[in-house]
Amino acid sequence: AQKVTQAQTEISVVEKEDVTLDCVYETRDTTYYLFWYKQPPSGELVFLIRRNSFDEQNEISGRYSWNFQKSTSSFNFTITASQVVDSAVYYCALSTLGDSGYALNFGKGTSLLVTP
Amino acid sequence: GAVVSQHPSRVICKSGTSVKIECRSLDFQATTMFWYRQFPKQSLMLMATSNEGSKATYEQGVEKDKFLINHASLTLSTLTVTSAHPEDSSFYICSARDRRGGKETQYFGPGTRLLVL
């Protein structure tokens, strides 16, 4: 069975602080994909990153960085120097061939609030 | 990223009516699209997998006769909520599977907020 756990339900930080959103996943598949999406209040899901199970290289994109560690089944997301516009719900998701043909299995999401 | 459109963005209807939601991939062909549902303050839950030219695959607990899915072309999937009831009120969001260049990514439409009175 596939499972994604985002233990942090809500996080509140002050602007310019760094914040890390945790994601732990479970799967028996050797080939899988991990994603992070941002959902602002408007509701639309914004794609942030995709990682496949064979690529453990960490990635940095501007103020965003991701740490993928297969040894701990984690795919954590760090925002450096947070801004008010970063306020949103962030979802970590897992997809495998499985029963649903690469459909996304979402975590419960982490609501991030960045205050001025 | 790729563009996926979804219409309508918001629907208010009376109980018992049917509502049709369209999902289009605008700049790539998607043999597979997915339909998710999101209740307030909750995560997204997969309802069904829509495959072009074949029957949709529904998740356990999702009534296939109530949520009709048609994937008639490589760029269009539709979800029809038949005889909608207040408990069907939710945020419905589709995604299109992008396999171009060997990547495996899903891009989401902007979603449809359905309110059944």
Side-chain angles (χ1 to χ4, degrees), chain A residues 17-21 63-65 77-83 86 90 112:
Chain A
E17 286 185 14
D18 298 347
V19 59
T20 295
L21 283 61
R63 297 184 296 107
Y64 296 168
S65 63
F77 172 32
T78 298
I79 301 175
T80 302
S82 61
Q83 299 176 2
D86 295 328
Y90 291 85
L112 174 65

Side-chain angles (χ1 to χ4, degrees), chain B residues 55-112:
Chain B
K55 290 183 179 181
T57 304
Y58 291 82
E59 294 301 294
Q60 194 171 13
V62 178
E63 301 174 55
K64 62 180 181 181
D65 294 331
K66 182 172 183 60
F67 299 98
L68 301 179
I69 291 173
N70 187 351
H71 195 151
S73 77
L74 288 171
T75 59
L76 172 65
S77 176
T78 60
L79 167 68
T80 301
V81 184
T82 62
S83 187
H85 291 285
E87 58 265 30
D88 298 322
S89 299
S90 187
F91 185 58
Y92 293 86
I93 189 165
C94 69
S95 71
R97 183 184 174 195
D98 185 358
R99 304 175 63 187
R100 291 174 296 173
K103 64 181 178 180
E104 183 64 54
T105 300
Q106 287 185 37
Y107 295 101
F108 284 82
T112 298

Side-chain angles (χ1 to χ4, degrees), chain A residues 1-4 25-29 94 96 98-99 105:
Chain A
Q2 337 292 342
K3 185 179 180 181
V4 176
Y25 63 93
E26 294 177 31
T27 179
R28 294 178 182 173
D29 290 53
L94 167 72
T96 68
D99 296 330
N105 189 333

